[in-house]
Amino acid sequence: MTTRTETHFTPIDQNLYAKAFQLLDPTPEPPVPPALAAPSPVSVILAAGPVHHPGPVEKTLTDALAFLDTHGWAKHRLIHPEGARCSIGALRAAAGARNAAYRDAGRLLLDEARRQHGSQWKGIPAWNDAHTGPQVRSVWEAAIQRARHLNI
């Protein structure tokens, strides 16, 4: 068995010794003017502004749109065999149940569909089936923004 031994040592930086002795016997440094001082962690957090907490309607709409982005968007059926869904199917998947957030999100989505595509739409399924993917997405995004603005 052969053991290798390194005989080369890394030279020590003499400034390292000086810094170590300075840390052991520190001399007070002049204070830094407030304008040059780094901001405290608290001031950084406060400057960042409030964190947005989506309301149940915004969360349902956002989750439903994410579901459509992940699984695909469908026309003329609630759930496509490959997993894509229509707008109502995505809302149901996001809400998990036909609860208040589901109903309010559906109302807001239909209201936005009527704003963008005319007041003739009686329900989300008919509107969903009569439009293109980009048109439907535009309504979803606007509904999410309205829910955020309304803080619902």
Side-chain angles (χ1 to χ4, degrees), residues 23 33 35-36 44 46-47 49 59 68 107 121 137 139 141 143:
L23 290 172
L36 300 177
V44 170
L46 293 175
K59 182 171 180 356
L68 291 174
R107 284 187 201 111
W121 303 107
R137 181 173 191 84
V139 169
E141 290 171 348

Side-chain angles (χ1 to χ4, degrees), residues 97-133:
R98 293 183 187 181
N99 55 27
Y102 165 79
R103 288 187 295 279
D104 292 343
R107 284 187 201 111
L108 188 62
L109 186 66
L110 182 58
D111 185 56
E112 189 57 41
R114 289 174 177 158
R115 279 183 168 196
Q116 289 189 29
H117 301 288
S119 60
Q120 72 273 19
W121 303 107
K122 303 296 181 212
I124 293 172
W127 161 78
N128 180 84
D129 294 347
H131 292 86
T132 65

Side-chain angles (χ1 to χ4, degrees), residues 60 63-64 67 71 79 85-97 102:
T60 300
D63 291 350
F67 186 93
H71 300 284
I79 304 171
R85 294 194 181 206
C86 71
S87 292
I88 286 290
L91 271 176
R92 288 181 185 171
Y102 165 79

